[in-house]
Amino acid sequence: MNDLGEFELIERYFRHPTPHALVGPGDDCAVLPAPAAGMALAVSSDMLVEGRHFLPTVPPRLLGHKALAVNLSDLAAAGARPLAFTLALALPRVDASWLEGFSDGLMALAREHGCELVGGDVTAGPLNICITVFGEVPERGALLRSGARPGDEIWLSGPLGDARLALEAFRGKVELDGADFRSTRRAMEAPQPRVVLGQALRGLASAAIDISDGLLGDLGHVMRASRVGARIDTDSVPRSPALARQPLVLQRECCLNGGDDYELVFTAPADAATQVQAAGERAGLALARIGRIEAEPGLRLVDGAGRPLTFESRSFDHFRS
Ligand code: ADP
Ligand code: MG
């Protein structure tokens, strides 16, 4: 690959200390210690493709951050503690300043969460980033999509819709003033995975999922897996000041169907509400209660006054949109 060879490239940008791994990057396999007794490994992969998951204009540092953030978000949704990750990268060319920015953004988030880069692969090709994360979770304590029960309350870890609003601004479909564009763009390009909250919800949440494809679609996964229905008060779904300045129809579209939010939506028995609030505080997040799980299948949306709302749930689907 150009003047900088594949192995020098790995050495320069992707070789970082791995105090937890028994063997880190540089050999045929990474070797990780087995989890302690009673603990299990949680594993998840996410791929980011240029033009599909990110715009060609995104600064490499933010891309590095986001590539890992979306993976850590899956660990968060399972209540797992991040341990390590691998990085498979296809690069159109060796661009030192791009690699430096990408690696900086990636490794800053990795260090923040104590998640080691233990190996991967690099090849020439259209820009494509695939990360696999490994986390630790109690053997029978992972948060799943299947545990929601009628009567459980539905909670959200933070405001939704900004990433979608920024995307609409990039597409030229809405116009935002400078400050709103910057804040929503930050939400789209630098999402913060709710890793601390996920672990704080172990033994407390009955079901959880992270919002990558839109609240209604992702909550739909919980409903199907748990064989339950839900009622959501759409006005209680928190949104940023930037989104709240938009017309109500756009607000609803962005926060209910938007996607790319990487907040957690989870359920918990009503009598656990105080503990849930405390878990939110420990994680430094203002949690919002947005509805209830019901036995009757299907999703019922109401506005703040309790009036039924018809709103199509259009979860993002790579093969349909
Ligand atoms: P092999 O040919 O045996 O699959 P590679 O030549 O692909 O090995 O990689 C050499 C070493 O560099 C391996 O230990 C691999 O895990 C590591 N590696 C490759 N790409 C990356 C990357 N993007 N980040 C971290 N380590 C990497
Ligand atoms: Mg290889």
Side-chain angles (χ1 to χ4, degrees), residues 251-313:
Q251 286 184 36
R252 286 185 174 148
E253 174 64 22
C254 287
C255 67
L256 301 179
N257 276 337
D260 235 10
D261 299 292
Y262 303 103
E263 295 294 346
L264 300 182
V265 60
F266 61 93
T267 60
D271 61 12
T274 315
Q275 287 165 279
V276 169
Q277 293 283 19
E281 271 157 38
R282 284 206 299 286
L285 298 169
L287 305 181
R289 223 175 320 194
I290 61 165
R292 234 177 226 284
I293 295 295
E294 296 177 337
E296 188 191 340
L299 183 61
R300 285 158 292 281
L301 301 178
V302 296
D303 66 11
R307 284 185 301 253
L309 211 91
T310 47
F311 198 90
E312 200 190 344
S313 159

Side-chain angles (χ1 to χ4, degrees), residues 52-137:
R52 259 280 153 196
H53 302 92
F54 59 91
L55 303 168
T57 52
V58 64
R61 170 184 286 273
L62 294 174
L63 188 58
H65 170 98
K66 186 165 178 178
L68 183 58
V70 303
N71 279 279
L72 292 176
S73 180
D74 285 312
L75 289 184
R81 180 171 71 89
L83 295 173
F85 69 105
T86 60
L87 168 67
L89 201 54
L91 295 172
R93 71 196 76 81
V94 177
D95 173 341
S97 88
W98 188 94
L99 276 160
E100 206 171 293
F102 178 83
S103 159
D104 281 355
L106 179 83
M107 293 314 297
L109 186 65
R111 275 188 294 271
E112 196 182 311
H113 292 282
C115 194
E116 298 177 353
L117 176 53
V118 295
D121 200 13
V122 179
T123 176
L127 185 55
N128 188 327
I129 305 155
C130 183
I131 288 181
T132 298
V133 279
F134 302 84
E136 191 182 60
V137 73

Side-chain angles (χ1 to χ4, degrees), residues 6-7 10 14 25-28 87 117 119-122:
E6 176 186 337
F7 299 104
I10 294 166
F14 301 117
D27 218 302
D28 294 318
L87 168 67
L117 176 53
D121 200 13
V122 179

